[in-house]
Amino acid sequence: MRRRATLEFWYEFASTYSYLSAMRIEALARTADVELRWRPFLLGPIFATQGWTNSPFNLYPAKGRNMWRDLDREAARLGLPPVTRPTPFPQNSLSAVRVATYGADQDWLVPFSKAVFETSFAKGGSIAEPAAVGRILDSLGLDGTQILKAAASEANKGRLKVAGEEARSRGIYGAPSFLTEDGELFWGNDRLEQAIAWAAGDRPDGLR
Amino acid sequence: MRRRATLEFWYEFASTYSYLSAMRIEALARTADVELRWRPFLLGPIFATQGWTNSPFNLYPAKGRNMWRDLDREAARLGLPPVTRPTPFPQNSLSAVRVATYGADQDWLVPFSKAVFETSFAKGGSIAEPAAVGRILDSLGLDGTQILKAAASEANKGRLKVAGEEARSRGIYGAPSFLTEDGELFWGNDRLEQAIAWAAGDRPDGLR
């Protein structure tokens, strides 16, 4: 039996366009028979190496204004609910990404990740405090208190740090990003379809 | 008779993704029965107000590396010839944009603009020197010498400056950008389809 192709989905919980990808990537991957590997990471350290101490959408106000309008348009086009804008933006995603890192091999990683994105961008809720992340875990029938504690361990913090170093070393500079098994890097929700096609072996003519 | 909807296409000759849009916007607009207004402008002064003295693709090397690969992929996907990378990048587009500004109301604006983009991104030619721009004009059966001279007039330089101020005042922060008659701003070749649809009156549910 042929092994299914895998696509890595690198996402950051504070990232608006990661939200759009998270809500639609499963259906696209299923149709193309591509297996997904969800890779939560922190964008802040990568932005810091680029000299950014804030989201580019805040650093460049005209870009930020249009991003929110574009997000409204894209959410509507993709059939998602109206977008809520987190305050402050970007939200502190440290607690959520620690939990996702801890849950990397758990079957709750995907439902948890989608619930975090929905809380932030569709329900107007905070994801910044550990208690908010704990409530999301509880709502999924998990033990929020226990998972938060395990996620705050030094071993898990180390895993998160290694994931960030891996992201940077593999050329990732923003989120969402998609990486195929042969190292092809696609950046942005706009490239999700192309990334899935590439992973499935469908490449534009003349490229390899 | 109903007046046709118009879409403004703001482009910069040094911009890689403006090239992709320039080569495909006419067919899309024709299908949607949308009239185009080609709006050449200089991105440099807008980048300067954002604190950038170079292309972001040069300022952020990981982003730049992936942009060139993405451009190869997108060109192949869109059926365009293999991309050539101008050296240096970005090319000095001042002479070309002066000519395009001078030709704003001429029927050669579009063929000239497409020829400049093709020279730069498909034929490996320079567009930086006035002589190179003159050769492109000549190749279109125009009087390169006369047009270059007119394009270098103070009146025409003033028009170009006003276009840049208009771009910024209308929220443009990158290229290509698309502006509808009701002021909806779309940024990037990835939004061309959405911009055309919006101009034609086709909006995502719940948005206005």
Side-chain angles (χ1 to χ4, degrees):
Chain A
M1 207 177 90
R2 190 177 67 84
R3 199 176 62 80
R4 290 170 73 204
T6 300
L7 181 69
E8 292 182 46
F9 167 36
W10 289 78
Y11 58 101
E12 148 75 75
F13 285 119
S15 150
T16 49
Y17 292 102
S18 292
Y19 160 61
L20 297 187
S21 286
M23 304 318 286
R24 67 198 197 93
I25 193 170
E26 289 170 296
L28 290 168
R30 201 178 305 122
T31 303
D33 196 29
V34 166
E35 194 163 320
L36 291 175
R37 190 168 167 221
W38 289 56
R39 304 290 314 264
F41 77 121
L42 277 178
L43 204 43
I46 287 179
F47 279 179
T49 68
Q50 298 176 358
W52 295 342
T53 54
N54 196 338
S55 163
F57 298 123
N58 292 336
L59 293 172
Y60 309 111
K63 187 184 179 76
R65 274 190 296 277
N66 194 246
M67 180 278 287
W68 288 113
R69 178 65 175 169
D70 185 61
L71 198 71
D72 290 341
R73 290 189 305 238
E74 288 294 283
R77 190 174 67 84
L78 298 169
L80 295 171
V83 170
T84 59
R85 304 187 184 184
T87 311
F89 175 82
Q91 289 212 57
N92 185 333
S93 56
L94 183 60
S95 185
V97 76
R98 279 185 182 164
V99 164
T101 301
Y102 173 72
D105 303 316
Q106 306 293 317
D107 56 9
W108 53 260
L109 172 66
V110 175
F112 168 74
S113 297
K114 290 170 69 178
V116 170
F117 279 122
E118 285 178 312
T119 298
S120 185
F121 294 112
K123 294 179 185 169
S126 173
I127 59 161
E129 310 79 30
V133 176
R135 280 192 296 275
I136 293 171
L137 288 164
D138 292 340
S139 75
L140 295 168
L142 300 162
D143 183 342
T145 306
Q146 181 270 322
I147 292 175
L148 277 171
K149 193 178 161 190
S153 70
E154 289 307 314
N156 193 56
K157 288 183 193 173
R159 288 176 69 197
L160 175 57
K161 197 176 165 193
V162 167
E165 285 162 4
E166 181 186 347
R168 193 172 54 198
S169 74
R170 292 173 76 191
I172 290 178
Y173 53 91
S177 287
F178 311 98
L179 266 167
T180 66
E181 290 171 278
D182 57 348
E184 196 73 16
L185 171 64
F186 297 82
W187 169 58
N189 178 58
D190 296 320
R191 290 293 176 277
L192 175 51
E193 282 82 355
Q194 286 94 318
I196 298 238
W198 190 285
D202 178 15
R203 274 134 221 219
D205 279 353
L207 277 198
R208 61 194 176 100
Chain B
M1 207 178 89
R2 191 176 68 84
R3 200 176 61 81
R4 289 170 75 204
T6 300
L7 181 68
E8 292 181 46
F9 168 35
W10 289 78
Y11 58 101
E12 148 75 74
F13 286 118
S15 150
T16 49
Y17 291 102
S18 292
Y19 161 60
L20 298 187
S21 285
M23 303 318 287
R24 67 198 197 93
I25 193 169
E26 289 171 296
L28 289 168
R30 201 178 306 121
T31 302
D33 197 29
V34 166
E35 194 163 321
L36 291 175
R37 190 168 168 221
W38 289 55
R39 303 292 314 266
F41 77 120
L42 277 178
L43 203 43
I46 287 180
F47 279 178
T49 67
Q50 299 175 358
W52 294 342
T53 53
N54 196 339
S55 163
F57 298 124
N58 292 336
L59 293 172
Y60 309 112
K63 187 183 177 81
R65 274 191 296 277
N66 193 246
M67 180 278 286
W68 287 112
R69 179 65 176 168
D70 185 61
L71 198 71
D72 290 340
R73 290 188 307 237
E74 289 294 283
R77 192 174 65 85
L78 298 169
L80 296 171
V83 170
T84 58
R85 303 187 184 184
T87 310
F89 174 82
Q91 288 212 57
N92 185 333
S93 55
L94 183 61
S95 185
V97 75
R98 279 184 183 164
V99 165
T101 300
Y102 173 73
D105 302 316
Q106 306 295 317
D107 57 11
W108 52 260
L109 171 67
V110 174
F112 168 74
S113 297
K114 289 169 70 178
V116 171
F117 279 121
E118 284 178 314
T119 299
S120 184
F121 295 112
K123 295 180 183 167
S126 174
I127 60 160
E129 311 77 30
V133 175
R135 280 192 296 275
I136 293 171
L137 289 164
D138 291 341
S139 76
L140 295 168
L142 301 161
D143 184 341
T145 306
Q146 181 271 321
I147 292 176
L148 277 171
K149 191 178 163 190
S153 70
E154 290 306 314
N156 194 56
K157 289 182 192 172
R159 287 175 71 197
L160 175 57
K161 197 175 164 195
V162 168
E165 285 162 2
E166 181 186 347
R168 194 172 54 199
S169 74
R170 292 173 75 190
I172 290 176
Y173 53 93
S177 288
F178 311 98
L179 265 167
T180 65
E181 289 171 278
D182 56 350
E184 196 73 15
L185 172 64
F186 296 82
W187 171 57
N189 178 58
D190 297 321
R191 290 293 176 278
L192 175 51
E193 282 82 355
Q194 287 93 319
I196 298 241
W198 190 286
D202 177 17
R203 276 138 219 216
D205 279 353
L207 277 199
R208 61 195 177 99

